[in-house]
Structure formats: C-alpha cells, structure tokens
Amino acid sequence: MFIEIEQVLIDRHRIARRVREMAGAIAADLAAISAHEGSSVEDRVVFVPIMTGAMIFAADLVREMPIKLSLELVAISSYPGQSVVSRGARLASELPRDLAGKHVVVIDDILDSGQTLDLVRKAILTQNAASVRLCVLLRKNVQRVVEVEPDYVGFEIPDAFVVGYGLDYDGYYRNYPEIGTLSPLAIAQHPPAT
Ligand code: IMP
Ligand code: MG
C-alpha cells in the first residue's frame, strides 16, 4: 500500500514517545504561567492546529495534554498539489476569533521556509493573545525565508521532502503512520508543478 515510501526516517514508536514528552513540556510551561499569575490559565488555553498537515500530530498531542484546553483550527495553503517547494503561505480559512487574553499554542507538522508559522503567529498577535507559543513536530534543516524560533520542536530532520503522520504529497500519504521519504519514482510519476 505504501510501496512509494523510500525510507522510514522516524517510526511510529519514536513519534509517540516524543509527542508525550512535548505534551509534558507544554503542560509544565502552562503550569508555570499559572503559578506566575497566581491563578490557573486552564480556561484560557487554546491550541490552534494548522490544517491539514498538523491534523494527526495535533490529535495525538492534545490527548496527551493533562489539562483543560480548547481547539480552534486554521487552514493555510503553501504546498498546493504536486509541489515539493513552498509557494509562500496564504490563509485559506478564517482566523479563530476571540483569542484576546488567551494562551495560544500554534501546532504545525513541519517548519520549512518559516512563512506559515510567521503568518499565523503575527495574525494571532494582532488579536492581543496573552501569549503565543509555536510547536512543530519537525524542523527541516534548510535556509529559512523567514526566521522563526519554535518553542517546541519534536525532531530535527535533513532537507528532504517527507510524508506521513499528516504530511502529504499531492494530498496523499497523510495516513502513513510513520515519517518517511518518498521514492523519486513516486514523484517522477507525478512530477511537481514548477
Ligand atoms: P513553510 O511555510 O515553508 O514553513 O511550510 C510549512 C508547511 O509546508 C507545512 O505546514 C507543511 O504542510 C508543508 N511542508 C513543508 N515541508 C514539507 C515536507 O517535507 N513534506 C510535506 N509537507 C511539507
Ligand atoms: Mg501545513
């Protein structure tokens, strides 16, 4: 079924372990804010997964979070169709409303050029959120178009096009449960629009 996967970079067990660790780190930071403010922030925590790539990661991450939180989705388009290079980020949905005073955790699958997270972070800050944290499962080792420093990074990966665990090529492979590279053959059969 997934014969087009060339190499597994991160298997599902490593992913699951790391997701649990990341949830622990986020929960600890939110607890520290509560301690600092002298009251719990739990009713003001909003997780904002960026669709569609962050869907699987976010689903696992929020279920490892031992606190009350709400979820608001945002859709960004950057790799349309058969593309393996970022085309720049564009909002493809409304932004969540009512983020004023909220502690927001933006979740994405991968940090590549930086344009997606930069756009979402700035848009959320204009709503006077109390804090905005950025959480990515993968950080690609590339020269970024926009410098972005995520607060939480799952794994550092080399400059390769990866699929699985939410990441797609031309809309496919999101349901592949590990993170892997795609065989050049699969890309050759569906050549990227350049
Ligand atoms: P950025 O705006 O260039 O940082 O791109 C981030 C978005 O591009 C992510 O949310 C992903 O959806 C997509 N993306 C970046 N690299 C990859 C990849 O290797 N495979 C699949 N999608 C990717
Ligand atoms: Mg994405």
Side-chain angles (χ1 to χ4, degrees):
M1 180 188 173
F2 290 116
I3 50 167
E4 297 93 347
I5 302 295
E6 183 180 52
Q7 191 199 349
V8 176
L9 284 188
I10 310 166
D11 72 35
R12 66 181 88 191
H13 306 292
R14 273 183 75 201
I15 297 172
R17 266 201 309 276
R18 188 71 186 117
V19 169
R20 268 197 299 279
E21 287 172 3
M22 295 175 85
I26 298 169
D29 287 350
L30 292 168
I33 299 176
S34 296
H36 182 74
E37 292 190 0
S39 69
S40 172
V41 295
E42 282 199 21
D43 53 349
R44 288 183 289 128
V45 175
V46 184
F47 275 40
V48 179
I50 301 178
M51 292 294 109
T52 307
M55 186 182 98
I56 311 252
F57 173 41
D60 285 346
L61 184 73
V62 294
R63 286 177 296 169
E64 296 290 346
M65 291 295 304
I67 62 162
K68 219 169 112 191
L69 57 84
S70 65
L71 270 173
E72 296 276 357
L73 308 181
V74 63
I76 301 285
S77 166
S78 55
Y79 274 51
Q82 294 163 0
S83 173
V84 290
V85 287
S86 179
R87 303 290 158 120
R90 174 179 74 71
L91 261 175
S93 74
E94 300 264 303
L95 265 186
R97 284 173 228 270
D98 304 328
L99 294 177
K102 301 288 170 65
H103 293 282
V104 178
V105 182
V106 177
I107 305 170
D108 207 1
D109 48 2
I110 186 165
L111 172 63
D112 183 16
S113 75
Q115 294 167 100
T116 300
L117 279 173
D118 185 59
L119 175 82
V120 174
R121 196 179 69 88
K122 285 185 176 142
I124 289 173
L125 280 172
T126 62
Q127 295 194 32
N128 297 320
S131 70
V132 183
R133 287 182 167 67
L134 305 178
C135 172
V136 292
L137 182 65
L138 307 174
R139 174 160 59 188
K140 215 187 262 195
N141 185 10
V142 292
Q143 184 73 43
R144 273 174 245 303
V145 175
V146 188
E147 257 331 303
V148 174
E149 244 343 289
D151 301 274
Y152 311 98
V153 177
F155 301 95
E156 308 283 346
I157 63 160
D159 183 10
F161 192 78
V162 293
V163 294
Y165 200 69
L167 293 119
D168 75 304
Y169 172 63
D170 197 20
Y172 295 107
Y173 309 106
R174 291 195 200 276
N175 61 320
Y176 180 61
E178 345 251 2
I179 291 166
T181 54
L182 208 52
S183 92
L185 210 70
I187 296 179
Q189 281 165 0
H190 303 277
T194 46

